[in-house]
Amino acid sequence: MAEREPYSDSGMIVCHDCDALYSFQPVERGYVARCDRCGAILYRHGLGLSTSAALAITGLVALALANVYPIIGMNNAGLTSECTLWGAVLVCWQAGSWMTAVLASVTVLLMPVLELALSAWILVPLSMDRLPPAFPEIARLLQFIRPWTMVHVFLLGILITIIKLSSMASIVVGPGLWSFAALTLLTTAVGSFDQNELWSRSEGCRQ
Amino acid sequence: MTTAISASSRNVIRCHACGMTHASPEPDETGYCTRCDARMHARKRNSVTQTWAFLVAAIILYVPAMALPVMHSNSLMGSEDDTILQGIAYFWNSGSWDLAILIFIASVLVPLLKISSLTLLNCTVQRRMTWANRQRASLYRIVEFIGPWSMLDVFVVALTVSLVRFHSLAEISPRAGIMAFGSVVVLTMFASMSFDPRLIWDATETS
């Protein structure tokens, strides 16, 4: 049986949540296109390409700072202790709670690093009208990574820990906390870049 | 009632990886995306079965997650094991009722809501029910959105353990309960990812 190849049509768009078929109509900056049938977001026109590229690089810097500097310090009767993300992961691992260590390090360290680095890998060349190397693979990988970055949840976890331990000892907030706060905003901004626009830009600069 | 056309009724497939629409004479056959070379499927394969599998595993692990202690505290006053519910009770009794409510919502309520929502969705999809389509679509989006937030308790435990480690006044270590809890969060996320919301609307199409 002869195999018929699918042919593509970029004038159409399909809702990923309910499979409804629409013709593509660009939206203005700051606007979002929603599916008429189920209300899902189809595509958006958000931050520009160069802005997102810059934010991705800034995000990497924030991530580095967030891991180098302590997040919280605790002071009780002269005894001090500080914690960084990696320190907390190691302590959990040594205490036998390996799943906690793996979950924390993957969702707050590995996935955000990958998301920001791969986003920068794609966005920086695209903003200069050049095709990034291995673009299809990296773009697909990014899609897979995105649901697993939980920096915003970690930030709330830090705040709760501060409140929880402040009755026990005096808590000092370190630069790591502010870096995590910045990281939360930056990953959210970078992650909201429209997928359709990413691909249509890449087609535009194919040699 | 909007009259949207379903893509599959017009033999159109959307590539899940890059969003490109393809017209294929055989929509149930697997073709490769012309833009990103991903293998395309009209619907997620074995969606209902896989979702059930993850849900059942999550329900089974939810029991030890709530029953087993998540933290063990060693102090001058003695040692004690704390389950998630005991931790919430401690916050409530010591006056931090806002923390108690927050942890209760994130660690007890959210996983339960996710599991019951996905069970409802998967059940109604399996029976091809055409009831409350738009509401079910919104419910799925809510489940997807709150997915990571249950990880909150895992992070709080990791941070608390790490900070109190170097104190001679008390020593806190994680216990098996937090691993079961982390598994429940991951399993419900997998369940949510294996559910195909388009099946909600397919039932209306074929009826």
Side-chain angles (χ1 to χ4, degrees):
Chain A
M1 189 168 76
E3 226 184 75
R4 276 178 279 186
E5 288 293 320
Y7 65 92
S8 57
D9 186 341
S10 52
M12 289 196 286
I13 203 140
V14 176
C15 175
H16 54 85
D17 266 10
C18 76
D19 213 32
L21 196 56
Y22 299 102
S23 61
F24 179 77
Q25 280 164 358
V27 288
E28 286 177 45
R29 171 152 250 163
Y31 282 82
V32 142
R34 275 192 193 271
C35 172
D36 211 19
R37 179 156 77 162
C38 75
I41 292 178
L42 296 171
Y43 50 92
R44 61 173 88 224
H45 190 163
L47 297 166
L49 203 53
S50 11
T51 315
S52 301
L55 290 178
I57 296 176
T58 316
L60 284 169
V61 174
L63 185 59
L65 293 173
N67 280 286
V68 164
Y69 290 104
I71 305 168
I72 329 172
M74 195 160 114
N75 194 333
N76 193 332
L79 289 162
T80 57
S81 70
E82 288 177 331
C83 92
T84 62
L85 171 63
W86 189 243
V89 166
L90 282 177
V91 166
C92 283
W93 182 272
Q94 284 157 3
S97 190
W98 52 268
M99 176 164 282
T100 314
V102 166
L103 281 177
S105 55
V106 165
T107 61
V108 187
L109 197 49
L110 180 66
M111 293 304 185
V113 160
L114 283 180
E115 187 184 353
L116 288 171
L118 295 178
S119 296
W121 176 288
I122 287 184
L123 292 169
V124 168
L126 276 184
S127 65
M128 298 190 287
D129 275 326
R130 274 193 228 130
L131 187 69
F135 178 74
E137 288 80 17
I138 306 275
R140 285 165 58 185
L141 190 60
L142 259 181
Q143 249 214 318
F144 177 74
I145 286 170
R146 233 165 241 154
W148 295 99
T149 56
M150 302 186 187
V151 183
H152 53 308
V153 182
F154 187 68
L155 190 63
L156 187 60
I158 297 173
L159 295 174
I160 291 178
T161 310
I162 291 176
I163 300 171
K164 184 172 158 184
L165 294 175
S166 61
S167 58
M168 236 200 259
S170 66
I171 302 288
V172 173
V173 165
L177 175 62
W178 306 116
S179 309
F180 264 108
L183 183 64
T184 309
L185 294 170
L186 291 164
T187 42
T188 312
V190 170
S192 69
F193 195 82
D194 188 50
Q195 197 198 32
N196 292 296
E197 195 181 332
L198 205 65
W199 282 95
S200 54
R201 285 284 197 135
S202 78
E203 285 180 332
C205 59
R206 218 154 269 196
Q207 276 97 19
Chain B
M1 198 64 178
T2 53
T3 47
I5 310 167
S6 155
S8 60
S9 67
R10 291 284 188 275
N11 289 351
V12 172
I13 300 185
R14 176 188 181 269
C15 171
H16 67 279
C18 73
M20 185 64 151
T21 4
H22 293 74
S24 173
E26 283 129 323
D28 290 330
E29 294 294 312
T30 56
Y32 288 87
C33 176
T34 53
R35 186 157 76 172
C36 73
D37 217 29
R39 209 163 178 196
M40 298 190 295
H41 302 280
R43 296 287 177 268
K44 290 181 195 173
R45 289 200 296 183
N46 297 322
S47 165
V48 174
T49 318
Q50 274 188 353
T51 310
W52 279 135
F54 285 126
L55 279 177
V56 166
I59 291 168
I60 290 174
L61 280 172
Y62 190 73
V63 176
M66 291 293 132
L68 290 178
V70 294
M71 276 201 296
H72 176 85
S73 320
N74 243 333
S75 71
L76 295 169
M77 263 79 78
S79 67
E80 68 177 60
D81 283 331
D82 276 318
T83 67
I84 291 180
L85 294 167
Q86 282 170 331
I88 294 171
Y90 168 77
F91 280 134
W92 185 271
N93 292 330
S94 61
S96 313
W97 47 267
D98 40 3
L99 271 192
I101 291 174
L102 191 56
I103 304 261
F104 178 76
I105 291 175
S107 303
V108 181
L109 219 54
V110 165
L112 275 179
L113 283 176
K114 279 180 68 177
I115 290 174
S116 47
S117 301
L118 283 170
T119 306
L120 173 75
L121 288 170
N122 213 26
C123 209
T124 54
V125 152
Q126 190 173 36
R127 290 170 190 228
R128 301 185 195 285
M129 292 169 71
T130 57
W131 153 83
N133 286 346
R134 184 130 184 171
Q135 288 79 0
R136 283 190 289 158
S138 303
L139 181 63
Y140 178 69
R141 276 200 296 280
I142 292 172
V143 167
E144 269 197 315
F145 178 75
I146 63 173
W149 286 97
S150 319
M151 201 66 91
L152 191 60
D153 221 4
V154 175
F155 294 147
V156 170
V157 166
L159 285 166
T160 308
V161 160
S162 157
L163 266 181
V164 183
R165 179 122 293 222
F166 300 107
H167 268 245
S168 61
L169 290 175
E171 198 198 299
I172 300 184
S173 49
R175 281 288 178 267
I178 200 72
M179 298 221 278
F181 185 77
S183 315
V184 170
V185 179
V186 170
L187 285 168
T188 52
M189 283 190 73
F190 280 139
S192 164
M193 287 175 190
S194 61
F195 181 77
D196 195 335
R198 295 172 291 194
L199 296 172
I200 299 175
W201 303 93
D202 280 350
T204 320
E205 289 271 320
T206 53
S207 69

